[in-house]
Amino acid sequence: MTVRKNQAELSSAEKRAFTGALLELKNSGRYDAFVTTHNDFIMRDTDHGERVGHRSPSFLPWHRRFLLEFERALQSVDPSVALPYWDWTVDRTPAASLWASDFLGGTGRSRDGRVTDGPFAASGGNWDISVRVDGRDFLRRTLGSGGRQLPTRAEVESVLAMETYDMPPWNSASDGFRNHLEGWRGVNLHNRVHVWVGGHMATGASPNDPVFWLHHAYVDKLWADWQARHPRSRYLPEGGTPDVVDLHETMRPWGDVTPADMLDHTPHYTYDTAA
């Protein structure tokens, strides 16, 4: 059984295995296929049209399947690898261990955001940005620029306390747990982290930055924590809702998985801490 660990608890060998598998996927071309998928969906998901991966109830099950597919790709390179998660309520500064040169590398240089250290720096020649939002071919970050702050544990707790999963109008204007976690309303959790990292993480091509996977693994863990706290709260909507994915409708691009199929993560992986 795959166990997803807090990145702060990874050994040096586990960090090397994870980054090594990422580099191998990148070299084979398989990594960029995931970047393309995410970018395509975030560009098409709108408040007033068909929406699947973002601004919609299926934000959480869609990303759960997306991460599971990516984790399986990593494990095809190295079966020992699992996706780690980044608890940004604890590791809140650019000095945190995940930004060290032996793991993800640090923030970008001031003039253009270019990451200059770690295994994904352009100088290493192993992380050319192919799925681009502009002409630049190097990984970019601007960690915490403009005085931005990551969400706090108290803010997370305020969202975990919400009992209703989602509600009309089923988009970025909705109240409920999903939208507050996604970050279009309230204290803004998931979206705020993307903006705090900056660079590629603030674009539709955010998986260009490997921290995307650690961030979304933590978002997924928060969903699992919420499910454990509210066992009677169900995925909504259950049926008959235009433009969004109901409980038993299939999700693009896979066509073989529904939100109902993704409600229980434990057949696929567990987390290193109980909810």
Side-chain angles (χ1 to χ4, degrees):
M1 171 63 71
T2 296
V3 178
R4 295 183 180 176
K5 299 180 180 179
N6 188 324
Q7 61 79 28
E9 303 301 321
L10 296 180
S11 67
S12 295
E14 288 171 324
K15 291 179 181 179
R16 286 194 300 271
F18 178 64
T19 57
L22 288 169
L23 292 170
E24 178 56 34
L25 284 185
K26 181 71 167 175
N27 182 60
S28 71
R30 296 167 67 192
Y31 190 98
D32 287 341
F34 286 93
V35 184
T36 297
T37 295
H38 188 270
N39 191 51
D40 287 350
F41 273 81
I42 203 169
M43 293 295 105
R44 288 185 297 205
D45 290 330
T46 64
D47 274 342
H48 303 293
E50 218 177 306
R51 48 199 182 275
V52 181
H54 308 85
R55 299 172 177 263
S56 64
S58 51
F59 167 73
L60 291 168
W62 190 92
H63 280 86
R64 180 166 280 180
R65 173 62 180 260
F66 189 55
L67 263 65
L68 186 58
E69 292 285 314
F70 186 73
E71 189 167 56
R72 289 168 175 166
L74 290 173
Q75 291 170 344
S76 73
V77 175
D78 184 342
S80 74
V81 169
L83 282 178
Y85 63 88
W86 167 31
D87 181 348
W88 22 256
T89 70
V90 175
D91 295 304
R92 302 176 47 77
T93 74
S97 61
L98 80 160
W99 306 117
S101 59
D102 69 341
F103 197 27
L104 300 187
T107 196
R109 62 191 183 188
S110 59
R111 70 174 182 269
D112 58 7
R114 179 171 176 160
V115 173
T116 59
D117 69 328
F120 311 107
S123 58
N126 297 315
W127 205 259
D128 179 75
I129 300 300
S130 300
V131 185
R132 300 177 187 173
V133 295
D134 54 32
R136 292 173 287 186
D137 62 357
F138 49 84
L139 179 62
R140 293 181 289 110
R141 293 184 188 130
T142 56
L143 304 183
S145 66
R148 294 184 177 92
Q149 298 291 318
L150 290 166
T152 66
R153 188 66 208 178
E155 289 172 327
V156 167
E157 289 294 331
S158 72
V159 174
L160 290 176
M162 296 177 176
E163 291 191 7
T164 302
Y165 178 79
D166 209 342
M167 60 183 66
W170 315 112
N171 59 20
S172 69
S174 300
D175 211 343
F177 168 74
R178 183 276 308 170
N179 200 31
H180 284 258
L181 175 55
E182 190 174 355
W184 300 109
R185 288 197 65 177
V187 295
N188 183 355
L189 300 183
H190 155 267
N191 288 347
R192 197 191 332 173
V193 178
H194 276 272
V195 174
W196 185 91
V197 176
H200 284 100
M201 275 284 279
T203 74
S206 50
N208 272 317
D209 192 331
V211 78
F212 171 92
W213 307 105
L214 284 74
H215 169 38
H216 271 274
Y218 188 57
V219 171
D220 184 80
K221 182 181 184 299
L222 292 178
W223 183 26
D225 292 348
W226 179 85
Q227 290 174 302
R229 293 191 189 191
H230 305 281
R232 296 184 179 180
S233 297
R234 63 194 189 279
Y235 177 93
L236 295 170
E238 294 188 332
T241 315
D243 293 329
V244 301
V245 183
D246 293 320
L247 179 62
H248 295 291
E249 289 185 326
T250 57
M251 293 186 290
R252 293 183 287 108
W254 306 287
D256 64 352
V257 62
T258 68
D261 297 327
M262 288 288 98
L263 297 183
D264 183 7
H265 68 283
T266 58
H268 311 289
Y269 56 88
T270 59
Y271 284 101
D272 58 352
T273 57

